């Protein structure tokens, strides 16, 4: 009689606990997707170029304004035919133009946030491309099948977009701050970094970068076509600022004769972002800076919320 030898039962595989922040791998995966394309570094080079051009323009203007403010021999002379109110307004404007401290603060706010106009456009486009790339290259199905929990995927993309927005802001601000410090040192003036209007401009410049990246992400979820999303984003940003001010100006001049019409132009996201980061009033009838913050935050949060809901429910097969 032969004995049958049986192999010992296999020991169960050890369970290795996951170490790390939940969702961090998704964020790294989304960042890797972005950095493996040419778009991010092309946008980065464009951001540096626009920052350099803006620095040149802002420094040239600042040098002229500061030189004028240093002219202590200038004397105010009211124009002929001016009323008392017009003369008072002109005198107040003359005093501001020759206030060296005020001109230095305004110059610092503009120089230390150089490149923000096109920089915000670039991060908005990048935010849209993060989501439209999935549909352009037909990788959305594989992405959501690999991670069935769509909410985690969407938030991973969202965090990656915000991280890139922060990176673009950081590099641009590093360049502008270094250049600004050298500029003010050569003029023998304080750099005004200790002044709240300058600090506010830099802080809310960061907020603007994050909010526009968020708005671009939401736009990309609404318009899956990459070309359509890019064109729409450029119309919203560039057309919204130039065309928006033009429309509100026409309404005030032809229909409703009130300064509040120009103040209400802040409802346009491109105008709201400029209002909140400007160290001084963007235009005489402009809303307060905190109104721009609230309007811009509202647009961005609505766009991001719609994007999250659509991505959770959309058929990606």
């Amino acid at each position: 009689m032969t004995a049958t030898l049986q192999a010992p039962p296999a020991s169960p595989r050890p369970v290795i606990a996951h170490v790390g922040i939940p969702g961090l791998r998704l964020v790294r995966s989304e960042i890797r997707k972005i950095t493996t394309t040419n778009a991010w570094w092309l946008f980065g080079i464009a951001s540096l170029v626009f920052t350099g051009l803006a620095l040149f323009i802002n420094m040239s203007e600042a040098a002229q304004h500061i030189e004028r403010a240093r002219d202590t021999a200038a004397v105010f002379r009211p124009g002929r035919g001016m009323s008392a109110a017009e003369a008072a307004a002109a005198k107040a404007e003359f005093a501001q133009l020759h206030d060296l401290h005020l001109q230095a603060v305004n110059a610092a706010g503009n120089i230390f946030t150089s490149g923000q106009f096109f920089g915000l456009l670039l991060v908005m486009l990048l935010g849209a491309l993060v989501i439209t790339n999935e549909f352009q290259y037909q990788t959305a199905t594989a992405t959501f099948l690999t991670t069935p929990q769509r909410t985690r995927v969407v938030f991973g993309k969202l965090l990656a977009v915000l991280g890139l927005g922060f990176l673009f802001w950081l590099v641009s601000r590093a360049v502008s701050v270094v250049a600004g410090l050298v500029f003010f040192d050569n003029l023998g003036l304080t750099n005004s970094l200790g002044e709240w209007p300058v600090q506010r401009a830099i802080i809310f410049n960061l907020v603007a970068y994050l909010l526009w990246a968020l708005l671009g992400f939401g736009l990309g979820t609404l318009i899956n076509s990459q070309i359509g999303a890019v064109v729409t984003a450029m119309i919203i940003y560039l057309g919204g600022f130039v065309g928006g001010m033009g429309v509100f100006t026409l309404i005030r001049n032809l229909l409703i004769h009130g300064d509040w019409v120009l103040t209400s132009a802040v409802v346009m996201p491109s105008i709201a972002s400029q209002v909140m980061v400007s160290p001084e009033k963007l235009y005489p009838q402009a809303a307060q800076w905190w109104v721009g913050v609230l309007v811009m935050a509202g647009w961005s949060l609505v766009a991001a919320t719609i994007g999250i809901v659509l991505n959770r429910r959309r058929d990606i097969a």
Side-chain angles (χ1 to χ4, degrees), residues 100-150:
L100 182 58
H101 175 74
L102 177 62
Q103 294 302 319
V105 170
N106 290 340
N110 291 327
I111 290 173
F112 292 142
T113 58
S114 293
Q116 67 181 358
F117 185 80
F118 287 103
L120 297 178
L121 173 62
L122 292 175
V123 296
M124 181 189 186
L125 294 177
L126 194 59
L129 291 178
V130 167
I131 191 71
T132 57
N133 278 343
E134 295 278 7
F135 297 95
Q136 176 74 15
Y137 299 108
Q138 300 180 353
T139 58
T141 302
T143 298
F144 287 118
L145 288 178
T146 304
T147 308
Q149 296 179 352
R150 293 193 182 186

Side-chain angles (χ1 to χ4, degrees), residues 252-306:
R252 181 188 181 278
N253 293 336
L254 301 178
L255 299 176
I256 305 175
H257 305 288
D259 289 343
W260 65 267
V261 176
L262 295 179
T263 305
S264 62
V266 74
V267 298
M268 304 293 291
S270 51
I271 297 176
S273 67
Q274 294 295 321
V275 167
M276 77 178 188
V277 300
S278 178
E280 56 181 340
K281 270 204 166 186
L282 190 64
Y283 51 94
Q285 301 83 7
Q288 296 295 322
W289 62 269
W290 56 267
V291 178
V293 175
L294 294 178
V295 171
M296 192 62 215
W299 278 105
S300 301
L301 292 176
V302 168
T305 302
I306 294 175

Side-chain angles (χ1 to χ4, degrees), residues 153-285:
V153 176
V154 174
F155 274 104
K157 292 180 179 296
L158 196 57
L159 291 176
V161 167
L162 294 177
L164 286 173
F166 175 78
L167 179 62
F168 272 61
W169 171 85
L170 183 63
V171 174
S172 182
R173 291 295 67 77
V175 173
S176 60
V177 167
V178 171
L181 293 177
V182 174
F183 172 80
F184 286 108
D185 183 67
N186 288 336
L187 292 181
L189 291 174
T190 177
N191 53 49
S192 300
L193 283 174
E195 300 286 341
W196 167 240
V198 178
Q199 296 171 355
R200 176 175 61 81
I202 296 174
I203 292 171
F204 284 103
N205 179 246
L206 168 60
V207 175
Y209 268 77
L210 299 180
L211 291 179
W212 276 104
L214 196 61
L215 188 60
F217 174 82
L219 185 64
T221 60
L222 293 172
I223 306 174
N224 295 150
S225 169
Q226 195 169 84
I227 297 178
V230 169
V231 172
T232 304
M234 295 182 70
I235 292 175
I236 290 175
Y237 188 81
L238 299 176
F241 184 79
V242 179
M245 282 305 303
V247 169
F248 280 92
T249 301
L250 288 176
I251 293 175
R252 181 188 181 278
N253 293 336
L254 301 178
L255 299 176
I256 305 175
H257 305 288
D259 289 343
W260 65 267
V261 176
L262 295 179
T263 305
S264 62
V266 74
V267 298
M268 304 293 291
S270 51
I271 297 176
S273 67
Q274 294 295 321
V275 167
M276 77 178 188
V277 300
S278 178
E280 56 181 340
K281 270 204 166 186
L282 190 64
Y283 51 94
Q285 301 83 7

Side-chain angles (χ1 to χ4, degrees), residues 12-29:
R13 296 179 62 183
V15 177
I16 301 176
H18 173 70
V19 179
I21 302 175
L24 186 59
R25 289 180 297 178
L26 286 173
V27 177
R28 286 200 299 261
S29 175

Side-chain angles (χ1 to χ4, degrees), residues 47-107:
S47 178
L48 289 175
V49 171
F50 285 129
T51 299
L53 291 174
L55 276 170
F56 176 77
I57 295 172
N58 290 336
M59 287 180 178
S60 299
E61 291 182 352
Q64 295 176 4
H65 294 168
I66 291 172
E67 182 180 2
R68 179 180 55 198
R70 280 175 161 171
D71 183 10
T72 56
V75 179
F76 172 72
R77 292 183 177 86
R80 292 181 179 180
M82 276 189 174
S83 64
E86 291 173 342
K91 186 176 182 179
E93 182 180 0
F94 178 87
Q96 289 182 350
L97 293 176
H98 290 80
D99 186 338
L100 182 58
H101 175 74
L102 177 62
Q103 294 302 319
V105 170
N106 290 340

